[in-house]
Structures are given as C-alpha cells and as structure tokens.
Amino acid sequence: MTRAVATATVLDGLRAHGNDYSGAERAFRARTGLALTGLALTGPAPTGPLDRMPEGISEPVSVVVATYNGARSLAGTLAGLEAQLWRGFEVVVVDDGSDPPVRRMVFDAGLTVPVSVVHNPVGLGAGAARNVGLTVAQGSTVVFLDDDIRMSRDALALLALRQQHTEGCMFTGFRDNTGPDVFSAPDGAHPPRIERDWRWLSDRGGDRYVLTTAARDVPHCDRTSFELVKESRYFKDFGHGRVIGFWDLPGMVSGHSLCVKRADAVSVGGFPEEYATRWGAEDLAFGALMAASGIFVVPALDWVAFHLRHEGRRVPRAVEHARLERALDRYRSMLGEPLAERRFPRHRLRRAAGAGRPGAECYELVP
C-alpha cells in the first residue's frame, strides 16, 4: 500500500485524500477489458452474472465471516460461498461467543474449500472478531461478510480479479434486504437489486448524517432524496472530506460486504476494537482509517447480495439513538488521533481438536 503524506491525525488524512481512482480504473480496463466498478455510470443496475468467467484469476482470497448467535442465517451465507463458480478461496468463520457454538454446524455445511473456525468463548464485538479473522486469514485479499449475506455465484471471482489487477483499492458491496424464503433458496427468485440499497437511492433524510460526520454542526440541506452513487461519480467526488447531502466517504463503507488487501487492513491497525458492542460504527471507523491512509473506496456495483431481513430484532428508537451517540463519540475521538500510531492488535490463538476432515482447522482464542 502507498500511504498518503504523513499527517498528524486521521481527520487530516481524510481531508488530504482524493478518492478519484480514474488511473486504477483505466489500468484495470486495459488489463481485463472490464469496468472496475462493474458497469457504466449511465447504465442500468446489474441484472445477473457475467456470461463467462474471466480467465487467469490467481489472487489468493480469504473470506472472513464473523458471527454471534447467527447459525440460522450463517447456513445461507455458507451455502452461497459453496456455490461460487471460482474456487480459489478459503473460509474463516469467527464465532464471537455464540451459545451454542457454531463450529459443528460450519463443518456440517458441506464446504469443499478450506475452512477454519475460531471460537471465542467471550464475545469481543464485530471489530475484534474481524481482526481475529485477519490474523487467521492466509489470502492476500480478504473479503468480509456478515453472517446474513448471501453472495451471487460469480462475486468472489470478480473481487479476486479486481484485487489482482489493482493496488490501493478497497471495494464495498451492496445488499438487497429479503425474507427467509428468498435468502434460503435464491435460485428461483429475482436477482438481488442494487436499487434497494440505501446508497443507490436514499430517502432517509438528515438523521442518517450522524453516522458519517465528525462535526456536530450539520450543513443545511432541504433535500430528502439522494442518489449517492451517481451524484458522487462512483464515490470519486467524495474525496477531501466532501459531504454530499448528509453523507461523506467513510459512510459509504459497509462491513457487511467489504473487500480489501490484507496488508492494507493490517497497516492501519485493522478494525478499531473500541466499539466493543454488538452494534457499532466499526466499519465507518475502518473506512475512515483506510481512506485517510490513501486507499481508494470503490463501489463494486455488480457485488449485490441478498441480506436476510431479521424480524423481532428491533430495539426502541431511544436505545438505538443512545448506542449511536456512544459509537459516534468514539469515532470523533479516533479522528483526532495520530494515524501513524495505529497498530494491529495481537490476538493469541491455539489450535483445537474437532475439525473432523482434511482442509479444516479449529482455533480457540486465548484469553
């Protein structure tokens, strides 16, 4: 990774970072004949997989899935990975304190690619769980998925191809919220639709801004609807701390579908672990760290996955707002910290018995 000029704080790095990745885009098209973002800006939303699989993909990929009591949806996530047309990847499942543990379910899922399961008996939160996955991952490219995301069959091939022919890029995917019938058996359903992701068309208004800004004073904006992908020219105009409506560049990064070079993620200290709750702003903070260090945030518009809509998980709005405020206080504090002082946390692991088949590994986190 090529870092930006050394800066005093993370916020300084964000203001210095220009997200115009046109050079990487041109180079990728020259090498592959494909568009880096997946389709033309003026074209329609993706409707299906490529008609042929690109040749010559050799990028080693690790897929990291962090889970907490998500066995039901995790089964669909793993089924989507087993259905991938390209097979040059491993799967790392980090069980962050599930009760019961998911290890046996993972090994019974029938994966025919290498798989590792890390059991952490005491939940540390999403950021720490993803860092544990980074510790175990063997691939030079890492794809982070939530345990309720089901990828299309060509997704990993296209992500591997992107990372194989680019440097300094982080790709973020999109999701289509759906119910259990489609999530569990997607073949007979419509393809996932990018227009159902809030970044494609948002009408949430100003309350969403609190997720993406370091400042408490919100610029006045009368609009309530935004097409953020198009209005930012594929996020290119989000550089140098620019805000569009109520959003900025780190807010475009979503941990449910994220693809990075492992070395880039480690160099910025991984996911911040101070968001040690089940829900936090760790992906927002990770996006800020990556952009501040000079990494381009690129939307992969053909990477649209089904997301299982969870019923009965809603919390009162007041509770959710309090969690947001606590997370954002941590985020604002992080933005004022020196970027160069971030270090990747060390998590001690030990091998455990119970894998039960070749190509499978078990680990436990050492307290």
Side-chain angles (χ1 to χ4, degrees), residues 198-222:
W198 70 268
R199 289 163 294 177
W200 187 262
L201 177 62
S202 174
D203 57 2
R204 297 188 180 183
D207 62 335
R208 182 74 182 182
Y209 186 90
V210 297
L211 285 175
T212 58
T213 182
R216 294 185 180 274
D217 52 332
V218 180
H220 179 71
C221 183
D222 292 328

Side-chain angles (χ1 to χ4, degrees), residues 7 114 160 239 339 357:
T7 54
L339 178 62
R357 71 167 178 83

Side-chain angles (χ1 to χ4, degrees), residues 20-168:
D20 189 345
Y21 51 85
S22 296
E25 197 169 34
R26 289 190 296 270
F28 181 77
R29 183 180 289 277
R31 293 167 183 164
T32 67
L34 299 172
L36 186 62
T37 54
L39 70 159
L41 183 61
T42 57
T47 57
L50 292 177
D51 56 3
R52 61 179 178 84
M53 189 56 53
E55 298 179 355
I57 303 174
S58 59
E59 181 76 9
V61 173
S62 298
V63 181
V64 173
V65 184
T67 185
Y68 168 70
N69 287 346
R72 182 179 178 184
S73 59
L74 179 62
T77 299
L78 297 178
L81 292 173
E82 177 59 23
Q84 294 296 300
L85 298 175
W86 178 73
R87 312 299 293 169
F89 65 96
E90 65 167 354
V91 176
V92 179
V93 176
V94 182
D95 181 359
D96 194 40
S98 297
D99 184 18
V102 302
R103 180 178 64 185
R104 182 48 50 199
M105 185 278 289
V106 173
F107 290 137
D108 289 344
L111 291 172
T112 56
V113 295
V115 58
S116 299
V117 177
V118 184
H119 178 60
N120 174 24
V122 180
L124 296 176
R130 290 175 182 142
N131 288 339
V132 170
L134 269 174
T135 301
V136 174
Q138 299 296 306
S140 54
T141 284
V142 178
V143 174
F144 294 101
L145 296 180
D146 280 355
D147 63 4
D148 51 11
I149 292 291
R150 186 161 188 154
M151 305 176 81
S152 59
R153 299 181 68 200
D154 58 355
L156 284 182
L158 295 175
L159 292 172
L161 190 70
R162 285 178 167 105
Q163 290 289 15
Q164 182 173 324
H165 294 289
T166 61
E167 293 291 337

Side-chain angles (χ1 to χ4, degrees), residues 205-206 208-210 212 218-219 221 223-224 226 243-248:
R208 182 74 182 182
Y209 186 90
V210 297
T212 58
V218 180
C221 183
R223 293 171 57 194
T224 59
F226 299 87
V243 172
I244 296 178
F246 308 101
W247 295 270
D248 63 4

Side-chain angles (χ1 to χ4, degrees), residues 253-274:
V253 176
S254 183
H256 65 69
S257 302
L258 195 60
C259 178
V260 301
K261 285 287 180 64
R262 184 182 184 278
D264 292 345
V266 169
S267 72
V268 301
F271 285 83
E273 298 188 0
E274 51 264 42

